[in-house]
Amino acid sequence: MKKTFSIVIGTLIGATIFGTGIYHSQADEANPKINSDQVRQMVEEQYSGTITELELEKDLDKAVYEVEVKEKNIEHDIKLDANTGEVLHESFTERKDDDLQDDSSVQLDKEAIIGVDKAKEIAKQNFDGNVISIELDEDDNQLVYEVELRNGKKEADFELDAKNGDIIEMDIDTEDDDD
């Protein structure tokens, strides 16, 4: 009797954990009410720096945008609810002179790089999907856009030359249900 009771309790606990995991994995990440362009506009109205990272992520059971803004010597990290635009978390770090010494290439004139909209357009021409995140980054002393797109179970990651829009790297993955 004790053995049967233990098996039933163990099964219930396992089912609860499994169900909770499925619930949290189903957060409405793919279809937030606020798109990345609206988030970009909201952040640019509040901060004078350059947006260097904007990603749609899942945080527990809700979709959130994580945004990084760099000003002269301050880096802001902001987390926004993807459905309401509410700021869920905000922090900043003051960067020291050592951190800034090689940062001049990231602070190029906006005319020297293709821009976020053009980077999105190039990625979408090569993969039919929704932009999940786009980030301006420096890789081996070269400015690149890292663009992630998703269409159903397919996901594409692009690395684009930020000066001319050339595709440096493209990776397309398909999620399997057999995990």
Side-chain angles (χ1 to χ4, degrees):
M1 180 82 167
K2 288 183 181 183
K3 188 175 184 181
T4 304
F5 182 72
S6 296
I7 291 171
V8 169
I9 294 297
T11 304
L12 288 173
I13 290 172
T16 302
I17 292 170
F18 181 71
T20 302
I22 289 175
Y23 173 76
H24 287 293
S25 70
Q26 299 298 320
D28 192 15
E29 181 178 341
N31 296 313
K33 292 179 182 174
I34 300 174
N35 66 39
S36 60
D37 292 331
Q38 292 169 314
V39 170
R40 180 174 296 283
Q41 182 179 358
M42 289 170 27
V43 170
E44 286 175 345
E45 289 173 0
Q46 298 294 318
Y47 298 89
S48 60
T50 303
I51 296 175
T52 58
E53 183 177 330
L54 192 152
E55 294 183 2
L56 179 62
E57 298 286 334
K58 183 171 60 171
D59 187 20
L60 295 178
D61 62 341
K62 68 171 120 180
V64 296
Y65 283 101
E66 293 182 0
V67 184
E68 182 179 281
V69 179
K70 289 185 181 178
E71 290 186 68
K72 291 180 182 176
N73 64 337
I74 297 175
E75 183 176 299
H76 299 273
D77 291 308
I78 309 153
K79 189 180 285 190
L80 302 157
D81 185 301
N83 291 313
T84 65
E86 175 186 358
V87 176
L88 302 173
H89 177 78
E90 179 180 7
S91 64
F92 69 91
T93 306
E94 187 170 349
R95 299 184 303 166
K96 306 211 178 339
D97 289 339
D98 294 344
D99 298 335
L100 297 171
Q101 68 184 8
D102 196 27
D103 206 31
S104 58
S105 61
V106 176
Q107 301 296 333
L108 291 174
D109 287 339
K110 291 190 178 198
E111 296 157 6
I113 59 176
I114 62 171
V116 172
D117 292 334
K118 183 68 176 173
K120 285 181 188 180
E121 179 184 323
I122 292 167
K124 284 183 160 195
Q125 287 172 353
N126 290 279
F127 180 83
D128 182 27
N130 296 318
V131 175
I132 302 301
S133 69
I134 186 164
E135 178 181 348
L136 179 63
D137 198 9
E138 185 174 4
D139 189 17
D140 296 330
N141 294 324
Q142 178 182 11
L143 283 177
V144 295
Y145 281 106
E146 295 172 354
V147 186
E148 181 181 344
L149 295 98
R150 187 172 299 141
N151 184 346
K153 294 186 178 199
K154 290 186 176 182
E155 188 175 290
D157 294 308
F158 288 88
E159 190 171 292
L160 307 172
D161 184 318
K163 290 183 182 180
N164 58 27
D166 289 346
I167 297 173
I168 299 168
E169 188 175 323
M170 178 174 75
D171 184 31
I172 299 175
D173 291 323
T174 301
E175 293 179 23
D176 292 328
D177 287 340
D178 299 325
D179 290 342

